[in-house]
């Protein structure tokens, strides 16, 4: 998504920042790599979240330790974990 914005950025800002014009392909490539990496992170995090969510007990409280694991080990954002837990009728233990 963001990589597609690089040409417009170059058109608008290229005269003020000529190095952006020179490095347009490089910048586009880096942004594409980052987007792909983030997509893989989300995919792995979603899969692990679903595994952990299946183990939530009758109290419907998603463990703060599990949310911490998702963030520190998989780069999965805590706010996304909370949102997804809420969509499943759970609350996130933030303590």
């Amino acid at each position: 998504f963001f990589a597609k914005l690089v040409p417009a950025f170059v058109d608008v800002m290229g005269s003020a920042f000529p190095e952006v014009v020179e490095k347009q392909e490089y910048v586009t490539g880096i942004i594409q790599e980052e987007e792909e990496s983030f997509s893989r992170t989300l995919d792995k995090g979603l899969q692990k979240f679903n595994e952990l969510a299946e183990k939530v007990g009758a109290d419907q409280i998603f463990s703060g330790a599990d949310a911490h694991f998702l963030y520190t080990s998989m780069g999965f954002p805590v706010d996304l974990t909370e949102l997804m837990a809420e969509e499943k009728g759970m609350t996130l233990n933030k303590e």
Side-chain angles (χ1 to χ4, degrees):
F1 168 75
F2 286 108
K4 293 178 182 177
L5 298 175
V6 173
F9 178 81
V10 169
D11 287 344
V12 172
M13 301 301 292
S15 60
F17 300 100
E19 63 274 13
V20 174
V21 176
E22 297 167 13
K23 303 273 185 173
Q24 181 173 346
E25 286 183 37
Y26 175 75
V27 170
T28 301
I30 294 295
I31 292 172
Q32 286 174 333
E33 288 174 18
E34 289 296 323
E35 288 176 339
E36 291 167 6
S37 175
F38 186 69
S39 179
R40 286 189 301 273
T41 295
L42 282 180
D43 289 344
K44 290 177 185 176
L46 288 169
Q47 181 179 0
K48 188 63 176 177
F49 170 84
N50 286 323
E51 290 173 15
L52 295 168
E54 289 177 14
K55 298 176 183 176
V56 169
D59 61 2
Q60 294 295 292
I61 297 175
F62 192 89
S63 163
D66 287 344
H68 180 73
F69 167 80
L70 287 170
Y71 178 68
T72 59
S73 298
M74 307 188 86
F76 199 74
V78 174
D79 58 339
L80 184 54
T81 298
E82 183 174 23
L83 179 65
M84 290 175 57
E86 289 173 356
E87 288 177 354
K88 291 184 175 280
M90 297 181 261
T91 58
L92 174 61
N93 181 354
K94 296 181 183 179
E95 295 180 26

